[in-house]
Amino acid sequence: GALVYQYPRRTICKSGTSMRMECQAVGFQATSVAWYRQSPQKTFELIALSTVNSAIKYEQNFTQEKFPISHPNLSFSSMTVLNAYLEDRGLYLCGARLGGYEQYFGPGTRLTVL
Amino acid sequence: QQQVRQSPQSLTVWEGETAILNCSYENSAFDYFPWYQQFPGEGPALLIAIRSVSDKKEDGRFTIFFNKREKKLSLHITDSQPGDSATYFCAASAAGNYKYVFGAGTRLKVIA
């Protein structure tokens, strides 16, 4: 079946420092990969989206300078949160899309900023 | 602008009852509607989904009823079990658009 792994599952960093998280789709060829942040209020914010046919596109309020993403292919993606502050806290989710519609999420990386 | 709305925010049902979770949307271009189930500390898991060409999708105890004209859909969980206690998210996407728009979720609690 389709599986999406994320690493680490949780991380704690000091305010102003940076941390990197990884996402890997296993068992299927992803057609798109999206990074979301789920806030303590449980809402989903789309950070950026990569598809087979396009480069990484960042949503409003999220920038490459703050959340640089790299992926050699759509089955593996990494994102860094640079200069993390309290407002960056949350559960960072990676969603890999299979074919035209179905999107599978990983377990997320929970970021705590002290 | 909240394009996908869910109600109620929270719902409590007794074991064995049918839980009904509602979702509505504004964008007529949306044609795919997945429901995700999320347990505390985990990522959302794809539970069941429907495309706008259908008005019903069933998978075991989970059924989606879809009303395109009214831009509404609902998730029915029959014979609810305590293990169904989770937060359920309705999402929507349009053909050719890789973005998903999520609702704010319904927290379901099933009491034994």
Side-chain angles (χ1 to χ4, degrees):
Chain A
L3 288 174
V4 179
Y5 292 99
Q6 288 188 252
Y7 178 84
R9 291 292 303 271
R10 53 186 60 84
T11 184
I12 300 173
C13 66
K14 291 184 178 180
S15 182
T17 63
S18 303
M19 67 82 52
R20 180 173 178 267
M21 57 190 75
E22 299 178 349
C23 169
Q24 185 172 10
V26 177
F28 67 102
Q29 184 62 47
T31 56
S32 71
V33 172
W35 284 94
Y36 293 84
R37 181 172 65 198
Q38 191 176 28
S39 68
Q41 291 74 33
K42 301 293 186 182
T43 58
F44 290 83
E45 298 175 277
L46 178 62
I47 298 172
L49 175 68
S50 305
T51 70
V52 173
N53 301 317
S54 72
I56 301 168
K57 293 182 180 178
Y58 287 82
E59 289 294 292
Q60 194 173 12
N61 300 326
F62 296 96
T63 65
Q64 184 179 7
E65 290 70 33
K66 172 71 173 178
F67 300 94
I69 292 171
S70 66
H71 53 77
N73 53 64
L74 287 179
S75 292
F76 182 83
S77 178
S78 66
M79 182 176 76
T80 301
V81 181
L82 295 174
N83 299 316
Y85 289 99
L86 278 177
E87 58 265 28
D88 296 319
R89 294 172 303 169
L91 181 66
Y92 286 81
L93 294 164
C94 170
R97 197 153 176 171
L98 172 67
Y101 290 99
E102 295 177 349
Q103 179 167 242
Y104 296 92
F105 286 95
T109 294
R110 183 164 298 283
L111 173 62
T112 300
V113 182
L114 300 178
Chain B
Q1 180 188 13
Q2 190 175 358
Q3 295 191 59
V4 176
R5 289 188 172 85
Q6 289 188 246
S7 65
Q9 270 191 315
S10 62
L11 175 66
T12 300
V13 299
W14 291 100
E15 182 176 3
E17 291 186 334
T18 296
I20 299 176
L21 290 66
N22 301 302
C23 179
S24 63
Y25 62 98
E26 299 174 1
N27 189 343
S28 299
F30 289 152
D31 70 341
Y32 175 70
F33 304 89
W35 285 84
Y36 286 86
Q37 179 188 57
Q38 186 176 29
F39 295 106
E42 299 182 11
L46 179 60
L47 185 64
I48 186 172
I50 193 168
R51 294 185 61 185
S52 60
V53 294
S54 302
D55 56 14
K56 181 181 177 181
K57 179 74 176 291
E58 193 170 352
D59 185 357
R61 297 186 294 110
F62 302 91
T63 302
I64 300 174
F65 292 93
F66 180 71
N67 186 322
K68 188 173 182 177
R69 184 178 60 83
E70 295 187 7
K71 296 181 186 172
K72 293 180 178 179
L73 59 156
S74 58
L75 175 67
H76 292 225
I77 305 174
T78 57
D79 188 26
S80 295
Q81 302 296 310
D84 296 330
S85 297
T87 301
Y88 292 80
F89 292 95
C90 172
S93 72
N97 190 329
Y98 287 87
K99 294 182 183 180
Y100 274 33
V101 179
F102 285 85
T106 293
R107 181 178 294 182
L108 173 67
K109 184 176 182 179
V110 181
I111 301 173

mmCIF file with all atom_site columns, all heavy atoms in Angstrom, chain B residues 11-31:
data_model
loop_
_atom_site.group_PDB
_atom_site.id
_atom_site.type_symbol
_atom_site.label_atom_id
_atom_site.label_alt_id
_atom_site.label_comp_id
_atom_site.label_asym_id
_atom_site.label_entity_id
_atom_site.label_seq_id
_atom_site.pdbx_PDB_ins_code
_atom_site.Cartn_x
_atom_site.Cartn_y
_atom_site.Cartn_z
_atom_site.occupancy
_atom_site.B_iso_or_equiv
_atom_site.pdbx_formal_charge
_atom_site.auth_seq_id
_atom_site.auth_comp_id
_atom_site.auth_asym_id
_atom_site.auth_atom_id
_atom_site.pdbx_PDB_model_num
ATOM 1   N N   . LEU B 1 11 ? -18.905 16.414 18.368  1.00 0.00 ? 11 LEU B N   1
ATOM 2   C CA  . LEU B 1 11 ? -20.083 15.553 18.370  1.00 0.00 ? 11 LEU B CA  1
ATOM 3   C C   . LEU B 1 11 ? -19.829 14.378 19.292  1.00 0.00 ? 11 LEU B C   1
ATOM 4   O O   . LEU B 1 11 ? -18.766 13.753 19.224  1.00 0.00 ? 11 LEU B O   1
ATOM 5   C CB  . LEU B 1 11 ? -20.358 15.049 16.944  1.00 0.00 ? 11 LEU B CB  1
ATOM 6   C CG  . LEU B 1 11 ? -21.477 14.051 16.727  1.00 0.00 ? 11 LEU B CG  1
ATOM 7   C CD1 . LEU B 1 11 ? -22.814 14.702 17.033  1.00 0.00 ? 11 LEU B CD1 1
ATOM 8   C CD2 . LEU B 1 11 ? -21.464 13.542 15.288  1.00 0.00 ? 11 LEU B CD2 1
ATOM 9   N N   . THR B 1 12 ? -20.797 14.094 20.130  1.00 0.00 ? 12 THR B N   1
ATOM 10  C CA  . THR B 1 12 ? -20.709 12.938 21.025  1.00 0.00 ? 12 THR B CA  1
ATOM 11  C C   . THR B 1 12 ? -21.890 12.018 20.762  1.00 0.00 ? 12 THR B C   1
ATOM 12  O O   . THR B 1 12 ? -23.034 12.474 20.732  1.00 0.00 ? 12 THR B O   1
ATOM 13  C CB  . THR B 1 12 ? -20.721 13.376 22.506  1.00 0.00 ? 12 THR B CB  1
ATOM 14  O OG1 . THR B 1 12 ? -19.600 14.230 22.747  1.00 0.00 ? 12 THR B OG1 1
ATOM 15  C CG2 . THR B 1 12 ? -20.602 12.156 23.420  1.00 0.00 ? 12 THR B CG2 1
ATOM 16  N N   . VAL B 1 13 ? -21.601 10.761 20.529  1.00 0.00 ? 13 VAL B N   1
ATOM 17  C CA  . VAL B 1 13 ? -22.658 9.773  20.297  1.00 0.00 ? 13 VAL B CA  1
ATOM 18  C C   . VAL B 1 13 ? -22.378 8.551  21.161  1.00 0.00 ? 13 VAL B C   1
ATOM 19  O O   . VAL B 1 13 ? -21.253 8.330  21.625  1.00 0.00 ? 13 VAL B O   1
ATOM 20  C CB  . VAL B 1 13 ? -22.752 9.343  18.814  1.00 0.00 ? 13 VAL B CB  1
ATOM 21  C CG1 . VAL B 1 13 ? -23.068 10.539 17.922  1.00 0.00 ? 13 VAL B CG1 1
ATOM 22  C CG2 . VAL B 1 13 ? -21.481 8.648  18.363  1.00 0.00 ? 13 VAL B CG2 1
ATOM 23  N N   . TRP B 1 14 ? -23.425 7.753  21.362  1.00 0.00 ? 14 TRP B N   1
ATOM 24  C CA  . TRP B 1 14 ? -23.257 6.512  22.103  1.00 0.00 ? 14 TRP B CA  1
ATOM 25  C C   . TRP B 1 14 ? -22.808 5.418  21.145  1.00 0.00 ? 14 TRP B C   1
ATOM 26  O O   . TRP B 1 14 ? -23.091 5.461  19.940  1.00 0.00 ? 14 TRP B O   1
ATOM 27  C CB  . TRP B 1 14 ? -24.576 6.100  22.762  1.00 0.00 ? 14 TRP B CB  1
ATOM 28  C CG  . TRP B 1 14 ? -24.989 7.016  23.874  1.00 0.00 ? 14 TRP B CG  1
ATOM 29  C CD1 . TRP B 1 14 ? -25.913 8.019  23.809  1.00 0.00 ? 14 TRP B CD1 1
ATOM 30  C CD2 . TRP B 1 14 ? -24.504 7.019  25.216  1.00 0.00 ? 14 TRP B CD2 1
ATOM 31  N NE1 . TRP B 1 14 ? -26.036 8.655  25.008  1.00 0.00 ? 14 TRP B NE1 1
ATOM 32  C CE2 . TRP B 1 14 ? -25.186 8.050  25.912  1.00 0.00 ? 14 TRP B CE2 1
ATOM 33  C CE3 . TRP B 1 14 ? -23.569 6.239  25.922  1.00 0.00 ? 14 TRP B CE3 1
ATOM 34  C CZ2 . TRP B 1 14 ? -24.953 8.322  27.262  1.00 0.00 ? 14 TRP B CZ2 1
ATOM 35  C CZ3 . TRP B 1 14 ? -23.343 6.519  27.266  1.00 0.00 ? 14 TRP B CZ3 1
ATOM 36  C CH2 . TRP B 1 14 ? -24.038 7.558  27.918  1.00 0.00 ? 14 TRP B CH2 1
ATOM 37  N N   . GLU B 1 15 ? -22.115 4.470  21.703  1.00 0.00 ? 15 GLU B N   1
ATOM 38  C CA  . GLU B 1 15 ? -21.693 3.301  20.920  1.00 0.00 ? 15 GLU B CA  1
ATOM 39  C C   . GLU B 1 15 ? -22.918 2.668  20.248  1.00 0.00 ? 15 GLU B C   1
ATOM 40  O O   . GLU B 1 15 ? -23.959 2.477  20.874  1.00 0.00 ? 15 GLU B O   1
ATOM 41  C CB  . GLU B 1 15 ? -21.003 2.280  21.822  1.00 0.00 ? 15 GLU B CB  1
ATOM 42  C CG  . GLU B 1 15 ? -20.491 1.059  21.093  1.00 0.00 ? 15 GLU B CG  1
ATOM 43  C CD  . GLU B 1 15 ? -19.723 0.116  22.023  1.00 0.00 ? 15 GLU B CD  1
ATOM 44  O OE1 . GLU B 1 15 ? -19.648 0.416  23.235  1.00 0.00 ? 15 GLU B OE1 1
ATOM 45  O OE2 . GLU B 1 15 ? -19.208 -0.905 21.536  1.00 0.00 ? 15 GLU B OE2 1
ATOM 46  N N   . GLY B 1 16 ? -22.791 2.344  18.959  1.00 0.00 ? 16 GLY B N   1
ATOM 47  C CA  . GLY B 1 16 ? -23.895 1.742  18.224  1.00 0.00 ? 16 GLY B CA  1
ATOM 48  C C   . GLY B 1 16 ? -24.754 2.737  17.455  1.00 0.00 ? 16 GLY B C   1
ATOM 49  O O   . GLY B 1 16 ? -25.489 2.342  16.544  1.00 0.00 ? 16 GLY B O   1
ATOM 50  N N   . GLU B 1 17 ? -24.688 4.011  17.816  1.00 0.00 ? 17 GLU B N   1
ATOM 51  C CA  . GLU B 1 17 ? -25.470 5.030  17.115  1.00 0.00 ? 17 GLU B CA  1
ATOM 52  C C   . GLU B 1 17 ? -24.780 5.411  15.794  1.00 0.00 ? 17 GLU B C   1
ATOM 53  O O   . GLU B 1 17 ? -23.632 5.054  15.544  1.00 0.00 ? 17 GLU B O   1
ATOM 54  C CB  . GLU B 1 17 ? -25.638 6.272  17.985  1.00 0.00 ? 17 GLU B CB  1
ATOM 55  C CG  . GLU B 1 17 ? -26.534 6.055  19.195  1.00 0.00 ? 17 GLU B CG  1
ATOM 56  C CD  . GLU B 1 17 ? -26.784 7.346  19.950  1.00 0.00 ? 17 GLU B CD  1
ATOM 57  O OE1 . GLU B 1 17 ? -25.937 8.256  19.874  1.00 0.00 ? 17 GLU B OE1 1
ATOM 58  O OE2 . GLU B 1 17 ? -27.821 7.433  20.624  1.00 0.00 ? 17 GLU B OE2 1
ATOM 59  N N   . THR B 1 18 ? -25.514 6.162  14.991  1.00 0.00 ? 18 THR B N   1
ATOM 60  C CA  . THR B 1 18 ? -24.951 6.691  13.750  1.00 0.00 ? 18 THR B CA  1
ATOM 61  C C   . THR B 1 18 ? -24.504 8.128  13.964  1.00 0.00 ? 18 THR B C   1
ATOM 62  O O   . THR B 1 18 ? -25.288 8.971  14.403  1.00 0.00 ? 18 THR B O   1
ATOM 63  C CB  . THR B 1 18 ? -25.980 6.644  12.617  1.00 0.00 ? 18 THR B CB  1
ATOM 64  O OG1 . THR B 1 18 ? -26.328 5.288  12.333  1.00 0.00 ? 18 THR B OG1 1
ATOM 65  C CG2 . THR B 1 18 ? -25.409 7.281  11.355  1.00 0.00 ? 18 THR B CG2 1
ATOM 66  N N   . ALA B 1 19 ? -23.251 8.383  13.676  1.00 0.00 ? 19 ALA B N   1
ATOM 67  C CA  . ALA B 1 19 ? -22.711 9.741  13.760  1.00 0.00 ? 19 ALA B CA  1
ATOM 68  C C   . ALA B 1 19 ? -22.807 10.384 12.383  1.00 0.00 ? 19 ALA B C   1
ATOM 69  O O   . ALA B 1 19 ? -22.466 9.757  11.373  1.00 0.00 ? 19 ALA B O   1
ATOM 70  C CB  . ALA B 1 19 ? -21.258 9.719  14.222  1.00 0.00 ? 19 ALA B CB  1
ATOM 71  N N   . ILE B 1 20 ? -23.292 11.616 12.339  1.00 0.00 ? 20 ILE B N   1
ATOM 72  C CA  . ILE B 1 20 ? -23.424 12.338 11.071  1.00 0.00 ? 20 ILE B CA  1
ATOM 73  C C   . ILE B 1 20 ? -22.591 13.610 11.131  1.00 0.00 ? 20 ILE B C   1
ATOM 74  O O   . ILE B 1 20 ? -22.824 14.475 11.969  1.00 0.00 ? 20 ILE B O   1
ATOM 75  C CB  . ILE B 1 20 ? -24.900 12.686 10.786  1.00 0.00 ? 20 ILE B CB  1
ATOM 76  C CG1 . ILE B 1 20 ? -25.724 11.399 10.691  1.00 0.00 ? 20 ILE B CG1 1
ATOM 77  C CG2 . ILE B 1 20 ? -25.006 13.480 9.482   1.00 0.00 ? 20 ILE B CG2 1
ATOM 78  C CD1 . ILE B 1 20 ? -27.211 11.629 10.512  1.00 0.00 ? 20 ILE B CD1 1
ATOM 79  N N   . LEU B 1 21 ? -21.622 13.686 10.241  1.00 0.00 ? 21 LEU B N   1
ATOM 80  C CA  . LEU B 1 21 ? -20.722 14.828 10.179  1.00 0.00 ? 21 LEU B CA  1
ATOM 81  C C   . LEU B 1 21 ? -20.994 15.570 8.877   1.00 0.00 ? 21 LEU B C   1
ATOM 82  O O   . LEU B 1 21 ? -21.059 14.963 7.812   1.00 0.00 ? 21 LEU B O   1
ATOM 83  C CB  . LEU B 1 21 ? -19.261 14.366 10.218  1.00 0.00 ? 21 LEU B CB  1
ATOM 84  C CG  . LEU B 1 21 ? -18.725 13.779 11.524  1.00 0.00 ? 21 LEU B CG  1
ATOM 85  C CD1 . LEU B 1 21 ? -19.389 12.462 11.895  1.00 0.00 ? 21 LEU B CD1 1
ATOM 86  C CD2 . LEU B 1 21 ? -17.218 13.614 11.439  1.00 0.00 ? 21 LEU B CD2 1
ATOM 87  N N   . ASN B 1 22 ? -21.130 16.875 8.967   1.00 0.00 ? 22 ASN B N   1
ATOM 88  C CA  . ASN B 1 22 ? -21.522 17.667 7.807   1.00 0.00 ? 22 ASN B CA  1
ATOM 89  C C   . ASN B 1 22 ? -20.396 18.511 7.239   1.00 0.00 ? 22 ASN B C   1
ATOM 90  O O   . ASN B 1 22 ? -19.488 18.932 7.968   1.00 0.00 ? 22 ASN B O   1
ATOM 91  C CB  . ASN B 1 22 ? -22.683 18.590 8.186   1.00 0.00 ? 22 ASN B CB  1
ATOM 92  C CG  . ASN B 1 22 ? -23.881 17.816 8.683   1.00 0.00 ? 22 ASN B CG  1
ATOM 93  O OD1 . ASN B 1 22 ? -24.418 16.962 7.981   1.00 0.00 ? 22 ASN B OD1 1
ATOM 94  N ND2 . ASN B 1 22 ? -24.315 18.106 9.903   1.00 0.00 ? 22 ASN B ND2 1
ATOM 95  N N   . CYS B 1 23 ? -20.497 18.757 5.945   1.00 0.00 ? 23 CYS B N   1
ATOM 96  C CA  . CYS B 1 23 ? -19.482 19.551 5.251   1.00 0.00 ? 23 CYS B CA  1
ATOM 97  C C   . CYS B 1 23 ? -20.177 20.318 4.131   1.00 0.00 ? 23 CYS B C   1
ATOM 98  O O   . CYS B 1 23 ? -21.077 19.778 3.475   1.00 0.00 ? 23 CYS B O   1
ATOM 99  C CB  . CYS B 1 23 ? -18.410 18.621 4.689   1.00 0.00 ? 23 CYS B CB  1
ATOM 100 S SG  . CYS B 1 23 ? -17.083 19.429 3.772   1.00 0.00 ? 23 CYS B SG  1
ATOM 101 N N   . SER B 1 24 ? -19.790 21.555 3.921   1.00 0.00 ? 24 SER B N   1
ATOM 102 C CA  . SER B 1 24 ? -20.328 22.340 2.808   1.00 0.00 ? 24 SER B CA  1
ATOM 103 C C   . SER B 1 24 ? -19.185 23.100 2.169   1.00 0.00 ? 24 SER B C   1
ATOM 104 O O   . SER B 1 24 ? -18.139 23.323 2.783   1.00 0.00 ? 24 SER B O   1
ATOM 105 C CB  . SER B 1 24 ? -21.423 23.303 3.295   1.00 0.00 ? 24 SER B CB  1
ATOM 106 O OG  . SER B 1 24 ? -20.884 24.252 4.200   1.00 0.00 ? 24 SER B OG  1
ATOM 107 N N   . TYR B 1 25 ? -19.375 23.471 0.927   1.00 0.00 ? 25 TYR B N   1
ATOM 108 C CA  . TYR B 1 25 ? -18.322 24.171 0.216   1.00 0.00 ? 25 TYR B CA  1
ATOM 109 C C   . TYR B 1 25 ? -18.900 25.269 -0.654  1.00 0.00 ? 25 TYR B C   1
ATOM 110 O O   . TYR B 1 25 ? -20.102 25.313 -0.908  1.00 0.00 ? 25 TYR B O   1
ATOM 111 C CB  . TYR B 1 25 ? -17.500 23.178 -0.630  1.00 0.00 ? 25 TYR B CB  1
ATOM 112 C CG  . TYR B 1 25 ? -18.285 22.475 -1.705  1.00 0.00 ? 25 TYR B CG  1
ATOM 113 C CD1 . TYR B 1 25 ? -18.261 22.908 -3.028  1.00 0.00 ? 25 TYR B CD1 1
ATOM 114 C CD2 . TYR B 1 25 ? -19.055 21.354 -1.403  1.00 0.00 ? 25 TYR B CD2 1
ATOM 115 C CE1 . TYR B 1 25 ? -18.968 22.258 -4.012  1.00 0.00 ? 25 TYR B CE1 1
ATOM 116 C CE2 . TYR B 1 25 ? -19.774 20.690 -2.388  1.00 0.00 ? 25 TYR B CE2 1
ATOM 117 C CZ  . TYR B 1 25 ? -19.724 21.149 -3.692  1.00 0.00 ? 25 TYR B CZ  1
ATOM 118 O OH  . TYR B 1 25 ? -20.441 20.500 -4.668  1.00 0.00 ? 25 TYR B OH  1
ATOM 119 N N   . GLU B 1 26 ? -18.012 26.142 -1.136  1.00 0.00 ? 26 GLU B N   1
ATOM 120 C CA  . GLU B 1 26 ? -18.475 27.296 -1.908  1.00 0.00 ? 26 GLU B CA  1
ATOM 121 C C   . GLU B 1 26 ? -18.062 27.235 -3.377  1.00 0.00 ? 26 GLU B C   1
ATOM 122 O O   . GLU B 1 26 ? -18.779 27.747 -4.231  1.00 0.00 ? 26 GLU B O   1
ATOM 123 C CB  . GLU B 1 26 ? -17.927 28.577 -1.277  1.00 0.00 ? 26 GLU B CB  1
ATOM 124 C CG  . GLU B 1 26 ? -18.394 28.811 0.159   1.00 0.00 ? 26 GLU B CG  1
ATOM 125 C CD  . GLU B 1 26 ? -17.726 29.999 0.814   1.00 0.00 ? 26 GLU B CD  1
ATOM 126 O OE1 . GLU B 1 26 ? -16.909 30.664 0.147   1.00 0.00 ? 26 GLU B OE1 1
ATOM 127 O OE2 . GLU B 1 26 ? -18.001 30.257 1.998   1.00 0.00 ? 26 GLU B OE2 1
ATOM 128 N N   . ASN B 1 27 ? -16.931 26.624 -3.645  1.00 0.00 ? 27 ASN B N   1
ATOM 129 C CA  . ASN B 1 27 ? -16.382 26.649 -4.995  1.00 0.00 ? 27 ASN B CA  1
ATOM 130 C C   . ASN B 1 27 ? -17.006 25.552 -5.859  1.00 0.00 ? 27 ASN B C   1
ATOM 131 O O   . ASN B 1 27 ? -16.794 24.364 -5.622  1.00 0.00 ? 27 ASN B O   1
ATOM 132 C CB  . ASN B 1 27 ? -14.866 26.468 -4.909  1.00 0.00 ? 27 ASN B CB  1
ATOM 133 C CG  . ASN B 1 27 ? -14.177 26.696 -6.241  1.00 0.00 ? 27 ASN B CG  1
ATOM 134 O OD1 . ASN B 1 27 ? -14.801 26.689 -7.289  1.00 0.00 ? 27 ASN B OD1 1
ATOM 135 N ND2 . ASN B 1 27 ? -12.875 26.902 -6.198  1.00 0.00 ? 27 ASN B ND2 1
ATOM 136 N N   . SER B 1 28 ? -17.731 25.957 -6.875  1.00 0.00 ? 28 SER B N   1
ATOM 137 C CA  . SER B 1 28 ? -18.395 24.989 -7.755  1.00 0.00 ? 28 SER B CA  1
ATOM 138 C C   . SER B 1 28 ? -17.409 24.136 -8.546  1.00 0.00 ? 28 SER B C   1
ATOM 139 O O   . SER B 1 28 ? -17.781 23.096 -9.089  1.00 0.00 ? 28 SER B O   1
ATOM 140 C CB  . SER B 1 28 ? -19.296 25.727 -8.745  1.00 0.00 ? 28 SER B CB  1
ATOM 141 O OG  . SER B 1 28 ? -20.293 26.456 -8.072  1.00 0.00 ? 28 SER B OG  1
ATOM 142 N N   . ALA B 1 29 ? -16.157 24.573 -8.607  1.00 0.00 ? 29 ALA B N   1
ATOM 143 C CA  . ALA B 1 29 ? -15.143 23.833 -9.359  1.00 0.00 ? 29 ALA B CA  1
ATOM 144 C C   . ALA B 1 29 ? -14.641 22.605 -8.587  1.00 0.00 ? 29 ALA B C   1
ATOM 145 O O   . ALA B 1 29 ? -14.028 21.711 -9.170  1.00 0.00 ? 29 ALA B O   1
ATOM 146 C CB  . ALA B 1 29 ? -13.970 24.733 -9.693  1.00 0.00 ? 29 ALA B CB  1
ATOM 147 N N   . PHE B 1 30 ? -14.900 22.538 -7.288  1.00 0.00 ? 30 PHE B N   1
ATOM 148 C CA  . PHE B 1 30 ? -14.476 21.371 -6.509  1.00 0.00 ? 30 PHE B CA  1
ATOM 149 C C   . PHE B 1 30 ? -15.190 20.126 -7.026  1.00 0.00 ? 30 PHE B C   1
ATOM 150 O O   . PHE B 1 30 ? -16.409 20.127 -7.211  1.00 0.00 ? 30 PHE B O   1
ATOM 151 C CB  . PHE B 1 30 ? -14.803 21.553 -5.031  1.00 0.00 ? 30 PHE B CB  1
ATOM 152 C CG  . PHE B 1 30 ? -13.955 22.566 -4.329  1.00 0.00 ? 30 PHE B CG  1
ATOM 153 C CD1 . PHE B 1 30 ? -14.446 23.252 -3.229  1.00 0.00 ? 30 PHE B CD1 1
ATOM 154 C CD2 . PHE B 1 30 ? -12.656 22.817 -4.732  1.00 0.00 ? 30 PHE B CD2 1
ATOM 155 C CE1 . PHE B 1 30 ? -13.672 24.190 -2.557  1.00 0.00 ? 30 PHE B CE1 1
ATOM 156 C CE2 . PHE B 1 30 ? -11.867 23.752 -4.066  1.00 0.00 ? 30 PHE B CE2 1
ATOM 157 C CZ  . PHE B 1 30 ? -12.381 24.447 -2.976  1.00 0.00 ? 30 PHE B CZ  1
ATOM 158 N N   . ASP B 1 31 ? -14.416 19.069 -7.250  1.00 0.00 ? 31 ASP B N   1
ATOM 159 C CA  . ASP B 1 31 ? -15.054 17.857 -7.745  1.00 0.00 ? 31 ASP B CA  1
ATOM 160 C C   . ASP B 1 31 ? -14.586 16.596 -7.028  1.00 0.00 ? 31 ASP B C   1
ATOM 161 O O   . ASP B 1 31 ? -14.961 15.485 -7.409  1.00 0.00 ? 31 ASP B O   1
ATOM 162 C CB  . ASP B 1 31 ? -14.841 17.726 -9.253  1.00 0.00 ? 31 ASP B CB  1
ATOM 163 C CG  . ASP B 1 31 ? -13.398 17.412 -9.619  1.00 0.00 ? 31 ASP B CG  1
ATOM 164 O OD1 . ASP B 1 31 ? -12.505 17.637 -8.774  1.00 0.00 ? 31 ASP B OD1 1
ATOM 165 O OD2 . ASP B 1 31 ? -13.157 16.943 -10.748 1.00 0.00 ? 31 ASP B OD2 1
#
